[in-house]
Amino acid sequence: MVGMMVLQVVVAVIPGEALEIGAGYAFGAWEGLLLCLIGAAIGSAIIFFFVKLLGVKMVEALFPGKDQFSEIYQEQQAAEPADVYSVLHSRTPKDLFTYFAGLTPMKLHTFLMISTIARIPSVITSTIGGHALGTQQYVFAAVVFAITIIVSLIGILVYRRISKQEKEKEKEESQNDTISQG
């Protein structure tokens, strides 16, 4: 299970939720959570190490057409670790985030601590649901997955609203700067 989670993190296109549900099914909610977090931490450390070693060129080579990588890299050079995590996580797909963290000045242990804590809510809902499936508690599993979907949708809507407000504010500030310079 740990090895499969390492592979899932390293090969960012493999969906992690299916493995997490499987971990809960096979090992129970809490042991499944632990195994998933250990595998994700090992996979994240491997990526982090190679990105630190090879730099932005590695990320751009693996994900061509993602021009924002260099921009994000430049923005994050002087930021605090929690700010780096917040900005990168909000601007990149979850599975690609690990590749960007190595481009920042963040230390490995800080990154692993922040990313592991941030993964817990998602992983525990998957392992609880998987465990419920394994113990034939289908209604409970359906409720867990339904609540997860609802909370995720609410999060997406709130994120989009905040992003829209920030873009409008930036646009207004840019227009005000243009007016004051003219």
Side-chain angles (χ1 to χ4, degrees):
M1 188 73 240
V2 170
M4 289 190 296
M5 284 304 297
V6 169
L7 180 65
Q8 185 277 319
V9 172
V10 172
V11 182
V13 296
I14 298 172
E17 290 76 12
L19 288 174
E20 294 162 4
I21 292 168
Y25 185 94
F27 301 104
W30 299 108
E31 188 176 347
L33 169 69
L34 183 62
L35 294 171
C36 288
L37 292 178
I38 291 169
I42 293 169
S44 295
I46 291 168
I47 293 167
F48 192 92
F49 171 75
F50 278 106
V51 172
K52 284 286 188 193
L53 183 68
L54 302 173
V56 71
K57 298 292 185 198
M58 175 188 166
V59 178
E60 289 175 337
L62 291 172
F63 305 102
K66 300 286 187 191
D67 298 330
Q68 77 267 21
F69 293 165
S70 292
E71 177 186 325
I72 292 170
Y73 174 67
Q74 296 300 323
E75 289 175 6
Q76 300 309 316
Q77 288 305 297
E80 294 296 319
D83 294 335
V84 171
Y85 183 84
S86 174
V87 170
L88 289 178
H89 198 267
S90 67
R91 291 177 60 182
T92 60
K94 184 181 89 171
D95 291 336
L96 300 181
F97 167 70
T98 304
Y99 283 88
F100 299 129
L103 298 176
T104 70
M106 192 182 314
K107 302 285 186 223
L108 176 62
H109 68 277
T110 304
F111 166 67
L112 289 177
M113 180 186 65
I114 293 171
S115 64
T116 299
I117 291 169
R119 287 179 195 270
I120 290 173
S122 172
V123 177
I124 193 62
T125 57
S126 296
T127 58
I128 287 172
H131 178 66
L133 290 174
T135 57
Q136 299 179 352
Q137 298 174 6
Y138 302 119
V139 172
F140 180 68
V143 168
V144 168
F145 294 136
I147 290 171
T148 301
I149 290 169
I150 291 167
V151 169
S152 296
L153 290 174
I154 290 169
I156 289 168
L157 293 175
V158 168
Y159 171 75
R160 285 184 181 170
R161 186 173 195 190
I162 291 170
S163 293
K164 183 179 177 183
Q165 289 172 345
E166 286 179 7
K167 286 180 185 178
E168 288 172 1
K169 184 179 175 182
E170 288 175 9
K171 183 178 178 182
E172 186 178 302
E173 288 174 358
S174 175
Q175 289 173 348
N176 289 341
D177 287 346
T178 303
I179 291 170
S180 67
Q181 291 175 358

